[in-house]
Amino acid sequence: MSHAIDPYRISEEPFYQPQADEIELYEAAYAERLPVMIKGPTGCGKSRFVEYMAWRLGRPLITVACNEDMTASDLVGRYLLDAGGTRWLDGPLTTAARIGAICYLDEIVEARQDTTVVIHPLTDHRRQLPLDKKGELVHAHPDFQLVISYNPGYQSLMKDLKQSTKQRFAGMDFDYAPPPVEAGILVRETGIDEETAMKLVKIGATARNLKGHGLDEGISTRLLVYAAQLIKRGIKPNAACRMALVRPITDDMDIRITLDHAIDVVFGQA
Amino acid sequence: MQPTPPAPSSSLKPQTSSLVDLYRPQLTCNFGQLEDVFPDCIAEAVALLSPQGVKDYLDGASLICRIGRGFEPVLIYLEEMPQVASQLGEGTLELVSRTVWRLSRGTNGKAIPHFLQTIAEAARRLGSEESLERYVDLMMGLANRTSTSIHGNQNATFPSPGLPLFLDQVPFLLSQLSLEGLKNWVEYGIHNYNGHPERQKDYFGLQSADSRAILQRERRGTLFMDRERQLDLYMKALWETKTQYVPYSEGWDELRKPVPYYDHLGIRVPDVYDDIRAPLSNSPPDSGGKGKRLPAGEILVSGIDRYRALLAHIAAHRRWSEPLIADNFSPFQRVAIETFEDSRVEWLAMAQYPGLRRIWLALHPRPGEEDCDPERESCIRHRLAMFSRALLDPNHGYRNADLLEFAAKFHELMQSKDNSTKAVAGLAVSYIARTRRQADLSPNVYFTDTLIDYRDDNRHLWRYIEEGDEEERFDEERKLPPEEKETDRLPPRHYPEWDYQTKTYRPDWVSLYESLHPAGDPMRIDALLSKHEQLTKRLKQVMDLLKPQHFVRVRYQEEGSELDLDVALRSLIDLRAGSQPDPRINMSHRNDGRDIAVMLLLDLSQSLREIPEGCTQTLLELSQEAVALMAWAVDQLGDEFAIAGFSSNSRHEVRYQHIKGYSERWDDRVKARLAAMEAGYSTRMGAALRHAAHYLKTRKADKKLLLVLTDGEPSDIDASDPRLLIHDAHKAVQELDQQGIYTYCINLDPNADDYVKEIFGHQYTVIDRVERLPEKLPRLFMSLTR
Ligand SMILES: Nc1ncnc2c1ncn2[C@@H]1O[C@H](COP(=O)(O)OP(=O)(O)OP(=O)(O)O)[C@@H](O)[C@H]1O
Ligand SMILES: [Mg+2]
């Protein structure tokens, strides 16, 4: 059974703006092949970071977006029926373990806990993956690494990870970048001018001040990028911001009115 | 698992009865019904009022008792006034009782209960003692002016026909009108229908067409109370602060028109702002030149933007102004410094929010350069208002050389490194020296177009040395809870405490005493629940979705306990037909039971006795309601559930009160304990968390949730470094996490963000609108466990 590595390779350097020493820390964790857990609010650059690290380390990257309906077979693999009988197909986790890729399980808390436990034997010193149905024990490739991410802002007891799962990972905390850095990201990502970028970031900050006061999440860097893209296309800043920054995050009228006003005073027109 | 709690201590009963013994003699009143309500009323009064306030309260009630109108007025007074007085000020106690007395002396005695019924709502809408007084004056004016005889007999033998009807409409009227609007509406009614009792009744009962029309006419503008939440959010989002507000009315002719200001009680704001509209034609054209004239009547600045303009100005002062010593400057220098400082903080604010310029500019007067004659009148205000205009308006068009020079200096200074209050004060002083005129001292001061009414009066800017220390004294009296007996307690448990400075635990540092919470009347809790009947209905719908449907069939499984025939057949057909069959031909059953153990830990410290701004109940009462609702909900869901309260009195005495155990049902015994919930002492949170965890840990459930309901940061009398208890609480949360317990904090302190995050990480909510806690708590629980 052979697997092509190439489709999983990242050929071009993704743009990633470091915030602190996260690159160095990740490299050290990778050198030891420690599984890594990345925590942070939505749209703050977690996925982008992993992509960048895979490129930097020259490893293929296999990303799985987790969801509630995902079963263990979706990760590990399954038998398919075909005219000739049955045929085994590796799941993404198994593939990654075989070819020595970095396997990134995005939003792992979304998966049911009985699904999550299949990663356990891969995350301790054994570095193995038993394929019970196939009767095979896969020994992970020496370059294989597991990375998971989740958003601790989702406050649900039911969606928290089990202690026994958490305790298998080295953890990294991510957050939205400080204002000038975040503005720099917008400039690089969209080609928007610096001044407009700073204004968008300022609006982001006002919304983040309301977190816990009627907003579950502030405005993410991702949404700021969207707003910048719309402005770049020639949409008026105020309209672009309303559309990309305010409407998606809340239906609370008082908060909308407040954020709309923030947009007006930051862009200085109304 | 559960320790057998000791027999309920009966410390509560003697307490209340001793209050009755102490205070009942001070109330001269002999209605039989009084004895039933007195204990509750006096307990509330003592909890909320100062000793003098309690005395005024009892005197007021005695006075009302004497008017000979039965028990009803006394009852309303006793029940409503503690809340009103604790929110608006204790002066209201006498205000209301004397008003009742005055009404009883005239012909309008029948209106007394109607009047008293309006007090609670009027207090809530009006928000300050001063405004309540205005309302009372207005009401008395109406009473007096409409009760003179209809036949020209000056002895006032006939009561006002409109007064009782008016009073019944007051709650509605106040929800529609500012105090000034109400005054105008009343004036119109008195003026036009004084001689027609029937038509007067129609007017004040809101029955006649013109009555409604005048209401509509007066209903312009933006009422502060209707926008308070939006303005709270505004301050939070754009200025990262949270304050109290004290609304005032502008509708009374006074020597000095009231202006906004702020001090330690909060920000004084007008109770209403009208929209500002473009003037009707034939007004002078825009002197700034490039003005395209707006159509007449178009809104230039909306009421809400006027509030924002005011709050932004004040927020800017609070962020950037530093006080100066008043004694070092002459009065002229001071007014100049104030103007320059206003412009300075606005400049800094506009650097962040350029759009503020449009709003401020639209509200700023535009004094004409030649309007004031410096030979004959004092032009000092005029000069400064022009200067201020020039700094805000790039197209100001003024040509005065000094003004232009100093405006340039101002901008230069603002761009420089030292642009402090002090620096700009220096500039102001030299401006005043340069532009001094003989007539400045003239009593004939030019005022037109010099009042900048979105700005506060700058009282915060000055410190006085001479008149002794102006320091505010916060020596509020501590009302200590009565002593509790030391009996009926289990031996203490000892818990460590984390010392963040040495990064070590202090072993067995805290002694925790667990006891059974005393019991009260369980009916009170049932009454609270029935009060929220609508809410419980809505919650029930949500809960039905959460309820475990124990056996759920899960289809489309590759492996499962049974073959799913439908799917299997379809797959077989696909296979025969040579296409890729779906391999998920099995089904299984899943036991979808919720397996959750919950512990609700209540902070019962002293601060819970406060009535938060905008509420009519104490935090304690709100918590009681909320806990009752949540307990009811959890009981319906069938999750394992326990409740406990805690408070502390130094590390030697952390009290942990058992309210509901896991093995107890949600029944009268538990409700009785909840009904007797009391607040006192401090908040040593770490030990309480650890103790709660010690119960939760032994539960078998899959998921363990510890909910902490608190209204402030950890503190205790023997902890001088507040960081210590915050760090310890955080450490405790980490320990709990290790034990598989998910801790979540519901915080009622609007300023909690800083410390609550430090303790609970992301696992918290701050409830800004505390009055909605009863609704929020059960919902929060459900969303946490969804
Ligand atoms: N440090 C960064 N460098 C470059 N781009 C960034 C950075 N942080 C955020 N971005 C931008 O924000 C967008 C969203 O980031 P990303 O998809 O990595 O978020 P995420 O944290 O994975 O969010 P989610 O939790 O919703 O999956 C990216 O597409 C990128 O444009
Ligand atoms: Mg992502």
Side-chain angles (χ1 to χ4, degrees), chain A residues 9 124 146 190 202 253 258:
Chain A
R9 287 229 185 262
D124 52 33
L146 190 63
T190 66
K202 180 90 201 162
M253 273 324 279
T258 303

Side-chain angles (χ1 to χ4, degrees), chain B residues 526-539:
Chain B
D526 289 326
L528 289 182
L529 286 174
S530 56
K531 169 176 156 195
H532 287 287
E533 202 175 347
Q534 285 306 318
L535 177 58
T536 50
K537 268 194 206 129
R538 270 180 282 138
L539 289 175

Side-chain angles (χ1 to χ4, degrees), chain B residues 2 10 33 87 113 118 148 184 197 247 258 262 270 328 370 399 408 416 553 564 592 735:
Chain B
Q2 287 294 317
S10 50
Q33 304 101 304
Q87 275 171 55
T118 65
T148 39
N184 295 341
Y262 70 91
N328 294 346
E370 312 300 335
R399 283 180 308 272
S416 76
R553 191 170 64 156
D564 187 335
D592 213 7
E735 292 161 23

Side-chain angles (χ1 to χ4, degrees), chain A residues 14-19 22 38 40-51 104 106-107 149-151 154 174-177 181-182 185-186 188-190 220-223 225-226 229:
Chain A
F15 163 62
Y16 177 74
Q17 169 65 53
Q19 291 190 31
E22 69 269 25
I38 300 179
T42 184
C44 73
K46 301 184 294 290
S47 303
R48 180 61 67 88
F49 173 66
V50 173
E51 212 182 305
Y104 177 41
D106 200 359
E107 280 307 340
S149 78
Y150 78 105
N151 177 358
Y154 274 158
F174 273 55
D175 207 340
Y176 302 119
V181 180
E182 197 174 30
I185 294 173
L186 302 188
R188 270 293 304 263
E189 285 282 288
T190 66
S220 65
T221 308
R222 176 184 300 117
L223 289 181
V225 169
Y226 291 173
Q229 285 169 335

Side-chain angles (χ1 to χ4, degrees), chain A residues 116-124 126 128 162 164-166 168:
Chain A
T116 323
V117 291
V118 307
I119 65 176
H120 283 193
L122 272 175
T123 51
D124 52 33
R126 291 171 286 176
Q128 301 166 338
K162 265 193 163 87
S164 59
T165 306
K166 280 189 197 167
R168 292 162 185 272

Side-chain angles (χ1 to χ4, degrees), chain B residues 718-739:
Chain B
D718 57 343
S720 51
D721 173 6
R723 315 278 322 139
L724 193 85
L725 295 183
I726 292 180
H727 280 279
D728 176 56
H730 175 60
K731 197 74 185 170
V733 170
Q734 288 179 325
E735 292 161 23
L736 267 54
D737 189 50
Q738 295 292 319
Q739 298 167 15

Side-chain angles (χ1 to χ4, degrees), chain B residues 142-157:
Chain B
L142 170 65
N144 294 334
R145 288 162 62 195
T146 52
S147 52
T148 39
S149 156
I150 43 173
H151 303 296
N153 173 349
Q154 291 306 303
N155 290 333
T157 43

